[in-house]
C-alpha cells in the first residue's frame, strides 16, 4: 500500500492539489465551483471542515486519478463550519492546499438575495443584512488567512467564471501565476489586486484625434505610448523591481497575484503597458503570466 507523508506519496509521486472554496453567501461560490469543474477539477460541495483531512488522504492516494480537487466549505455547515480555520491551519503543512475566498460588498449581497427571493442562511428572524453581518464575523479569520481573495461585487457570473479560469487553469510547471490587469481609474480601483501602477504620468492618446477611437491593442497607440519619455524606462524598471517580489511569492507559496495597471479610462496607456509588462514578466522562472483588461470597451 502506498504511504503518504506531508502530501507526498512514498512512491515518489506528488499528492493531488486541493483548493478550499469559501467566502460570503451570495458571493459566487456556485459559479466558481462550476468553472472549476469545467477546468476538470473534481468538486465536492458543502463539505464539513472535519472531512477535509479524509479528502486530502484520498487525493494523496489517488494523485493521478484526482490531481486537482476543490471543496466548497461554507456556513451551510452550521456549527461545524467554525472549525475551518483550525482545520485548514493543521492541514497546510507540506501539502498543496490553498484557500479561495469569495467576497462582495454588503449592498451587492443584499440585492442578490432579494433578486432570488431567498433568505440568508444566518438571517433567522432578522433581516438579510443581519445575516450578512453575522456571517462576516464568522469568516473574518478565514478571509485573513486565504491565499486568494476575489471580490465579485462588480462581476457578473460570466466575468467571475473567466476570473476563476485565469486563476486556476493548468499552468504546467509554473509555481506562481501573475494576472496583469489594465483598468481605468475613473471606474474605481480593482478591489482584489496585490500591486497597482499608475500610467497617468504619460500623455493621454485620447487627446490625439487619430488615436482617440483606437485602443492599446492597436499598433499606432502602442507606438505613441512607448514613444513617450519615460515609458519604456518605467516598464523596464518596474519589471526589474517585481523580480524579487515574484521570487518571494514563490518562496512563501503564494500561488497567484494580480498586478493592476491603471490609466484614466483603461483604454490606451494601461493596455499597452499591461502587454509590455506581461512580456517581460513572462521571462521570470517559475512564473506564468496572463493579461486581462477590466475596462476595455467600456467607453
Amino acid at each position: 500500500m502506498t504511504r503518504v507523508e506531508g502530501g507526498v506519496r512514498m512512491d515518489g509521486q506528488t499528492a493531488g492539489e486541493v483548493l478550499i472554496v469559501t467566502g460570503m453567501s451570495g458571493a459566487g461560490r456556485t459559479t466558481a465551483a462550476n468553472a472549476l469543474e469545467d477546468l476538470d477539477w473534481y468538486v465536492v460541495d458543502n463539505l464539513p471542515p472535519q472531512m477535509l483531512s479524509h479528502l486530502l488522504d484520498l487525493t494523496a492516494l489517488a494523485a493521478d486519478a484526482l490531481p486537482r480537487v476543490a471543496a466548497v466549505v461554507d456556513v451551510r455547515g452550521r456549527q461545524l463550519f467554525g472549525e475551518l480555520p483550525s482545520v485548514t491551519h493543521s492541514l497546510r503543512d507540506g501539502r498543496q492546499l490553498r484557500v479561495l475566498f469569495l467576497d462582495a460588498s454588503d449592498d451587492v449581497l443584499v440585492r442578490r438575495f432579494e433578486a432570488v427571493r431567498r433568505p440568508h442562511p444566518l438571517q433567522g428572524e432578522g433581516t438579510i443584512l443581519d445575516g450578512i453581518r453575522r456571517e462576516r464575523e464568522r469568516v473574518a479569520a478565514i478571509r485573513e488567512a486565504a491565499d486568494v481573495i476575489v471580490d465579485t461585487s462588480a462581476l457578473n457570473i460570466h466575468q467571475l467564471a473567466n476570473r476563476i479560469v485565469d486563476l486556476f487553469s493548468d499552468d504546467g510547471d509554473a509555481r506562481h501565476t501573475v494576472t496583469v490587469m489594465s483598468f481605468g481609474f475613473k471606474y474605481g480601483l480593482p478591489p482584489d489586486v496585490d500591486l497597482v501602477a499608475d500610467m497617468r504620468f504619460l500623455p493621454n492618446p485620447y487627446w490625439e484625434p487619430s488615436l482617440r477611437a483606437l485602443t492599446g491593442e492597436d499598433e499606432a497607440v502602442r507606438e505613441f505610448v512607448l514613444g513617450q519619455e519615460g515609458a519604456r524606462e518605467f516598464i523596464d524598471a518596474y519589471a526589474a523591481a517585481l523580480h524579487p517580489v515574484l521570487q518571494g511569492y514563490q518562496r512563501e507559496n503564494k500561488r497567484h497575484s494580480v498586478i493592476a495597471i491603471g490609466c484614466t479610462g483603461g483604454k490606451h496607456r494601461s493596455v499597452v503597458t499591461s502587454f509590455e509588462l506581461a512580456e517581460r514578466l513572462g521571462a521570470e522562472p517559475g512564473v506564468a503570466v496572463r493579461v486581462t483588461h477590466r475596462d476595455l470597451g467600456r467607453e
Side-chain angles (χ1 to χ4, degrees), residues 135-249:
E135 186 174 23
R136 286 211 183 277
E137 293 177 358
R138 293 193 182 186
V139 303
I142 300 168
R143 190 184 194 282
E144 181 68 23
D147 300 285
V148 182
I149 299 174
V150 175
D151 189 305
T152 69
S153 300
L155 304 179
N156 61 36
I157 59 174
H158 306 294
Q159 292 168 330
L160 174 55
N162 289 336
R163 185 68 188 279
I164 296 301
V165 170
D166 287 342
L167 290 170
F168 298 106
S169 60
D170 188 6
D171 287 306
D173 295 328
R175 297 178 55 199
H176 185 85
T177 301
V178 177
T179 297
V180 181
M181 175 193 296
S182 70
F183 74 96
F185 278 99
K186 72 178 183 179
Y187 301 114
L189 281 168
D192 51 353
V193 300
D194 297 284
L195 300 163
V196 177
D198 184 354
M199 301 309 297
R200 291 176 295 182
F201 69 91
L202 298 176
N204 192 347
Y206 179 85
W207 301 112
E208 296 291 327
S210 63
L211 301 178
R212 180 172 298 179
L214 302 180
T215 75
E217 294 181 320
D218 294 299
E219 184 60 26
V221 174
R222 177 180 179 274
E223 291 179 357
F224 177 88
V225 172
L226 296 181
Q228 301 304 313
E229 183 179 357
R232 292 184 184 273
E233 291 85 348
F234 172 81
I235 297 170
D236 289 340
Y238 193 39
L242 288 170
H243 172 76
V245 176
L246 297 178
Q247 294 301 305
Y249 282 163

Side-chain angles (χ1 to χ4, degrees), residues 3-210:
R3 186 163 54 92
V4 180
E5 292 184 3
V8 179
R9 303 194 327 176
M10 292 300 99
D11 60 2
Q13 299 186 39
T14 303
E17 183 177 2
V18 174
L19 175 68
I20 297 174
V21 181
T22 188
M24 295 295 294
S25 300
R29 294 189 306 259
T30 299
T31 298
N34 291 338
L36 289 166
E37 282 191 339
D38 292 342
L39 292 173
D40 205 29
W41 286 68
Y42 183 83
V43 180
V44 182
D45 188 28
N46 198 15
L47 188 73
Q50 295 78 358
M51 295 295 294
L52 285 170
S53 61
H54 301 292
L55 181 64
L56 281 168
D57 291 341
L58 176 62
T59 58
L61 291 170
D64 296 332
L66 296 174
R68 299 193 294 177
V69 174
V72 182
V73 184
D74 53 63
V75 293
R76 290 175 295 169
R78 302 181 182 180
Q79 286 80 6
L80 297 176
F81 178 70
E83 297 186 27
L84 181 58
S86 60
V87 170
T88 302
H89 178 75
S90 65
L91 293 176
R92 280 187 183 276
D93 187 28
R95 292 182 172 92
Q96 298 185 72
L97 185 146
R98 289 178 288 165
V99 176
L100 164 65
F101 189 96
L102 298 172
D103 203 352
S105 63
D106 288 358
D107 59 325
V108 169
L109 293 176
V110 169
R111 289 199 300 270
R112 290 175 181 175
F113 276 105
E114 289 178 340
V116 298
R117 299 182 179 180
R118 296 193 63 188
H120 187 280
L122 299 182
Q123 182 174 339
E125 298 298 322
T127 65
I128 293 174
L129 189 56
D130 291 332
I132 291 171
R133 288 169 176 166
R134 293 187 186 108
E135 186 174 23
R136 286 211 183 277
E137 293 177 358
R138 293 193 182 186
V139 303
I142 300 168
R143 190 184 194 282
E144 181 68 23
D147 300 285
V148 182
I149 299 174
V150 175
D151 189 305
T152 69
S153 300
L155 304 179
N156 61 36
I157 59 174
H158 306 294
Q159 292 168 330
L160 174 55
N162 289 336
R163 185 68 188 279
I164 296 301
V165 170
D166 287 342
L167 290 170
F168 298 106
S169 60
D170 188 6
D171 287 306
D173 295 328
R175 297 178 55 199
H176 185 85
T177 301
V178 177
T179 297
V180 181
M181 175 193 296
S182 70
F183 74 96
F185 278 99
K186 72 178 183 179
Y187 301 114
L189 281 168
D192 51 353
V193 300
D194 297 284
L195 300 163
V196 177
D198 184 354
M199 301 309 297
R200 291 176 295 182
F201 69 91
L202 298 176
N204 192 347
Y206 179 85
W207 301 112
E208 296 291 327
S210 63

